Each structure stands twice: as C-alpha cells, then as structure tokens.
C-alpha cells in the first residue's frame, strides 16, 4: 500500500471503529431514514436504555457522523455523513489509483 493510501486508511480507522458497533449502525440508519430525532425518540425505537443511547450518540457525534441542534430544552440529532463519505471516497480513489499502476 502506498504511503498516501496508508495515510488515508489510518485517518479512516476511527470511523471504522465507531461504525463497528451494531447499535451505532442502527442509530445512524434510523437518523438517516427518519431525520432529526431526540434521545427519547431514538430510545423509543430501540431496545437500549436512554443512557446507552446517549453514550452511542456521543461517540457518533465525536466522529462527525451526526450533528446536534438545540431547540429549547430539546437536542435534535441528525445524520451528518458528508465528511465521512468524502474521506472514504478519498481512500477508495487512492486504492484504485494504486491498483491501476
């Protein structure tokens, strides 16, 4: 693997790690399908407890996979995948470029 591809891959590792959890995958898919949701709304659709949902949301937020908007006393979470998709596209492009050499 080229230095460029390896560097991009290393940048993707935190993304892969956070997405390796089935619960976080489910939460991200739910937000992608349903749009903005509160912790309580997500909890109602899940078998996890509210604290567990909050923990997973925190991890997704830290990696930039979701965003949060405060409206009054409610926090609304939504999928925010653009930066992650762009990083993965960059990795694929570097790997494809390497394969064509």
């Amino acid at each position: 693997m080229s230095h460029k591809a390896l560097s991009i891959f290393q940048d993707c590792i935190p993304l892969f790690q956070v997405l390796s959890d089935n619960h976080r995958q489910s939460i991200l898919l739910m937000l992608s399908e349903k749009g903005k949701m509160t912790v309580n709304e997500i909890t109602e659709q899940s078998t996890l407890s509210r604290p567990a949902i909050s923990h997973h949301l925190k991890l997704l937020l830290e990696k930039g996979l979701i965003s949060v908007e405060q409206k009054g006393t409610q926090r609304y979470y939504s999928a925010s995948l653009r930066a992650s998709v762009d990083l993965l596209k960059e990795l694929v492009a570097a790997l494809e470029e390497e394969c064509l050499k």
Side-chain angles (χ1 to χ4, degrees), residues 1 6 8-9 12 16-17 23 26 30 33 38-39 48 52 65 79 82-83 99-100:
M1 189 179 294
L6 185 58
I8 298 167
F9 183 80
C12 290
F16 295 146
Q17 288 172 328
H23 297 297
S26 295
M30 188 183 314
E33 291 172 2
T38 65
V39 175
L48 297 176
L65 290 164
R82 176 56 36 213
C99 289
L100 295 175

Side-chain angles (χ1 to χ4, degrees), residues 46-58:
S46 174
T47 58
L48 297 176
S49 67
R50 188 181 189 284
I53 294 291
S54 293
H55 171 72
H56 289 299
L57 289 171
K58 178 184 175 208

